[in-house]
Amino acid sequence: MSNEQSGVHPPQLQQVADDVFAYVQAPGGWCLNNAGIIADADRVTLVDTAATENRARALRKAAATITPVPPHTIVSTHFHGDHTFGNCVFPEAIVIGHEDTRTQTAEAGLHLTGLWPDVEWGDITVTPPSVTFQDRLTVHTGQVRMELVHLGPGHSPGDTVVWLPDRSVLFTGDLAMSGVTPFVPMGSVTASLQALETMREWEPRTVVPGHGPVGGPEILDATEHYLLWLRGLAREGVTEGLTPRELADTAGPGPFSELIDSERLLPNLARAYAEERGAAPGEPLDIGALFAEMVDHHGSLPACHA
């Protein structure tokens, strides 16, 4: 039974600026992502959707409480199914994303559903972006100007952040998380740190992370602190000749034990090790093998309450 069905941690719709809302699915762990709703009287844009049919339909109902106009546009911040599976619940909407997100959405298909077969995914079909861009794209929803920016392969190769300069609101996708352990094995520690620095220079007043509670620029700082710790830990491990698994065994979550999904340390270390040894940002790793090793190290399949 999903959290939504059991009534635990119901999603919250938070207005964060004029015409701008965050749709927050607490507490933000595996597959409990956040979405955004930018709405005026005539047009609605979503930033991401949700992992399951039921959760996407709940998002649709939430958007309808703001305006009866159905979503015209969806921005997919990256290809992972928790952010994109719900696209199919909005067949009238145009899906926009980075060109790599289109490719990776199609390639990944419904693979995520196989990792947690007990989740009630519902009747979902893969809906990749039909409009793509490389570096930057401006989208207008009524009076709200949205800057879609690709800052490099931080969380995934095709990450897009959505910056609303006139509202000082930033949707980070999974480049930043709030109270949730970052996840970078498909992207880059170095590129993530660079992306965080760029986003900080925009001086956002409100930050809507990919997972976890809405906040301010302190969310960027907290993500940075974890990644700097991760990079330092990996450097020590490489110097001492330890494998990522051995280092994860001895180090544990360190000063970040309060973060949800601390088991992500092991695959995160694998990415940090690869970069310490010269791998380029986004250079492919065997994610399937890393996930299996993480499950073995954790002692069980990580909890997914989608």
Side-chain angles (χ1 to χ4, degrees), residues 1-11 25-26 30-32 51-56 58 118-122 304-306:
M1 180 177 292
S2 71
N3 276 352
E4 178 187 333
Q5 293 170 314
S6 65
V8 178
H9 297 305
Q25 300 191 104
W30 291 98
C31 297
L32 290 176
T52 69
E53 180 186 3
N54 284 341
R55 286 189 174 274
D118 293 335
V119 168
E120 296 178 12
W121 298 99
C304 173
H305 298 292

Side-chain angles (χ1 to χ4, degrees), residues 10 44 56 81 108 146 152 161 198 207 214 229 241 245 262 273 284:
V44 177
M146 296 174 286
V161 299
T198 298
V207 175
V214 173
W229 171 77
R245 176 69 177 267
S262 61
Y273 266 56

